[in-house]
Amino acid sequence: MRRLICKRICDYKSFDDEESVDGNRPSSAASAFKVPAPKTSGNPANSARKPGSAGGPKVGGASKEGGAGAVDEDDFIKAFTDVPSIQIYSSRELEETLNKIREILSDDKHDWDQRANALKKIRSLLVAGAAQYDCFFQHLRLLDGALKLSAKDLRSQVVREACITVAHLSTVLGNKFDHGAEAIVPTLFNLVPNSAKVMATSGCAAIRFIIRHTHVPRLIPLITSNCTSKSVP
């Protein structure tokens, strides 16, 4: 009986040793006290990391909160003055320029980059001091429909430029942009649930600028009416 027990123990030990040598299934006793081998820098299997893993480099840089293609208020502020430089020499010249801008923006059959450039030109005029001319505000009211049409465009670049331009008008003109803000706010809210991130985040940013800079009572019901929306965004 003793021989049988000893033989069984020896057999178990030798079987365990064979498995541990193989390295695939170490014994329970050995694994309990096994000291993990240090990782060497020369072993590519140890140094390699999966893309997106913790501590690994982020491919393409950090993404914005809204995801790929999203824009934020910092992007808007940079774009306010990142426009071609122009000079205004007279009220007549300013009126002619604004009439040309309205003509382009009022016709969605114009090439999309022409419409985007026309929106940038409005910001160029603001930077050049167009708000100091009385005729500017008269023509700005005539642009309400064109700005709304641009914010409804199917081209995300046109929508983005329209939202940036509206935000810049609100920032520079403040309460004097009351009529334009009242006309455009409903369209901006319609952009919020858009599946295209650039359109949705552009609409959100423009709304924030208007709330911050253009304080008129008529905007309150337009904004609060969207509180009952069942859309998650």
Side-chain angles (χ1 to χ4, degrees):
M1 185 69 177
R2 178 178 289 180
R3 288 182 181 179
L4 181 59
I5 294 173
C6 291
K7 187 176 184 301
R8 290 287 177 88
I9 293 173
C10 291
D11 291 343
Y12 178 79
K13 185 177 180 181
S14 62
F15 179 75
D16 204 10
D17 290 342
E18 288 175 0
E19 287 188 329
S20 62
V21 170
D22 181 65
N24 294 327
R25 296 187 302 170
S27 66
S28 59
S31 61
F33 298 96
K34 185 176 180 181
V35 178
K39 295 181 180 179
T40 58
S41 58
N43 188 351
N46 291 331
S47 60
R49 288 176 177 172
K50 294 181 180 180
S53 60
K58 294 183 179 179
V59 180
S63 60
K64 292 185 181 294
E65 183 180 351
V71 294
D72 55 25
E73 293 178 41
D74 289 337
D75 295 321
F76 270 42
I77 293 172
K78 292 176 184 176
F80 285 170
T81 54
D82 187 17
V83 290
S85 177
I86 61 174
Q87 290 183 331
I88 303 171
Y89 295 102
S90 65
S91 297
R92 183 180 180 83
E93 182 189 9
L94 177 59
E95 290 182 6
E96 291 176 353
T97 302
L98 289 170
N99 284 332
K100 182 64 176 178
I101 290 172
R102 187 174 72 255
E103 178 187 340
I104 294 173
L105 295 180
S106 298
D107 185 4
D108 56 5
K109 293 180 181 179
H110 274 280
D111 191 64
W112 69 269
D113 59 345
Q114 286 186 342
R115 285 176 280 145
N117 288 333
L119 290 162
K120 289 180 180 179
K121 198 159 192 177
I122 295 175
R123 305 203 297 273
S124 295
L125 292 172
L126 284 173
V127 174
Q132 299 174 8
Y133 294 81
D134 293 335
C135 65
F136 175 76
F137 294 95
Q138 300 170 7
H139 285 271
L140 182 61
R141 294 195 66 164
L142 298 176
L143 278 172
D144 288 348
L147 290 174
K148 285 176 63 177
L149 185 64
S150 299
K152 294 178 181 178
D153 202 273
L154 298 178
R155 279 276 184 171
S156 59
Q157 185 65 22
V158 175
V159 172
R160 179 179 180 272
E161 293 299 332
C163 290
I164 293 172
T165 301
V166 166
H168 194 197
L169 286 166
S170 177
T171 303
V172 174
L173 304 180
N175 293 352
K176 292 182 179 179
F177 186 58
D178 56 345
H179 195 272
E182 185 181 3
I184 197 71
V185 160
T187 304
L188 297 178
F189 270 108
N190 289 336
L191 289 173
V192 175
N194 197 297
S195 58
K197 289 295 182 183
V198 62
M199 292 188 179
T201 53
S202 293
C204 287
I207 292 169
R208 291 193 184 102
F209 275 100
I210 290 174
I211 291 174
R212 190 177 298 127
H213 297 286
T214 303
H215 305 150
V216 290
R218 295 191 305 274
L219 287 178
I220 295 175
L222 296 177
I223 294 169
T224 56
S225 63
N226 286 275
C227 295
T228 59
S229 173
K230 296 180 180 179
S231 174
V232 174

